[in-house]
Amino acid sequence: METLKNKIQYLFLIMAAVTLFSCSSDDDENETNVDNIQITPTGYAWAGMEGSYAGWTSASFAYSPDPMVADGEKIDITVNEDGTADITLTSSQWGTMTIPSAAVKEENGAFALSGEGTAVLGMAGKEPKEYACIMAGTFAGDSKSCTVVFTLPAVMGGLNITFSNGNAPTAE
């Protein structure tokens, strides 16, 4: 009788152990999804390009053989928490171009920018009007030099305004 009782207890212990180990939770729910981690702007390699840049613009369009150059222009860049950048060109010659949430990616030690937005231009003394604007540009990896092109397809047969930081070149 004692052996049968021991065998039943032993069988019960085995069943309890199997039940205990088979009821664990699904570990997949506790995994961290790296794609969903939020990074603050300072966590991006291009966060250093945030700021205001003084420079000049060169504008070319279908109706003029020579580009129009304007000095004393300004571009402002704000890096967003999602890794995009808000870009605003303020031009005394051309008005204001605003590109919200422009894409930024690192390429060959530099940063490439691209996006779409609006330009507000008041030409020939007329009331300012809003136009679609496409932007593409590059910043050096040290964020000290940049070239950004704003394209307005519906203005003057296709207006391209190129911003470069620094001083406009002088004619020799």
Side-chain angles (χ1 to χ4, degrees):
M1 189 74 130
E2 197 61 40
T3 29
L4 183 58
K5 188 175 182 183
N6 285 344
K7 287 182 182 179
I8 291 174
Q9 285 178 342
Y10 181 70
L11 184 62
F12 177 73
L13 285 173
I14 291 175
M15 287 179 16
V18 168
T19 304
L20 178 68
F21 291 114
S22 66
C23 292
S24 68
S25 67
D26 186 6
D27 291 338
D28 292 341
E29 293 175 11
N30 296 326
E31 289 182 11
T32 302
N33 185 349
V34 177
D35 295 334
N36 292 331
I37 293 175
Q38 293 294 319
I39 300 173
T40 61
T42 55
Y44 294 102
W46 51 86
M49 75 178 172
E50 182 168 87
S52 291
Y53 296 84
W56 59 283
T57 57
S58 173
S60 60
F61 49 95
Y63 309 125
S64 175
D66 299 318
M68 296 175 67
V69 176
D71 211 354
E73 310 287 67
K74 181 178 89 161
I75 197 167
D76 293 304
I77 298 178
T78 303
V79 177
N80 300 317
E81 287 190 23
D82 64 357
T84 62
D86 294 339
I87 300 167
T88 303
L89 170 67
T90 306
S91 169
S92 59
Q93 180 76 31
W94 299 105
T96 304
M97 280 102 222
T98 305
I99 311 297
S101 302
V104 184
K105 63 182 179 176
E106 192 170 0
E107 291 181 349
N108 302 323
F111 305 113
L113 306 157
S114 62
E116 296 180 10
T118 58
V120 178
L121 284 75
M123 297 184 294
K126 295 182 181 176
E127 280 295 311
K129 188 174 176 185
E130 190 172 287
Y131 299 92
C133 180
I134 302 164
M135 183 271 319
T138 58
F139 266 76
D142 61 4
S143 299
K144 292 184 180 176
S145 63
C146 66
T147 301
V148 183
V149 179
F150 297 85
T151 301
L152 289 76
V155 177
M156 294 188 277
L159 173 62
N160 293 308
I161 301 170
T162 303
F163 173 89
S164 298
N165 64 320
N167 295 319
T170 57
E172 292 184 26

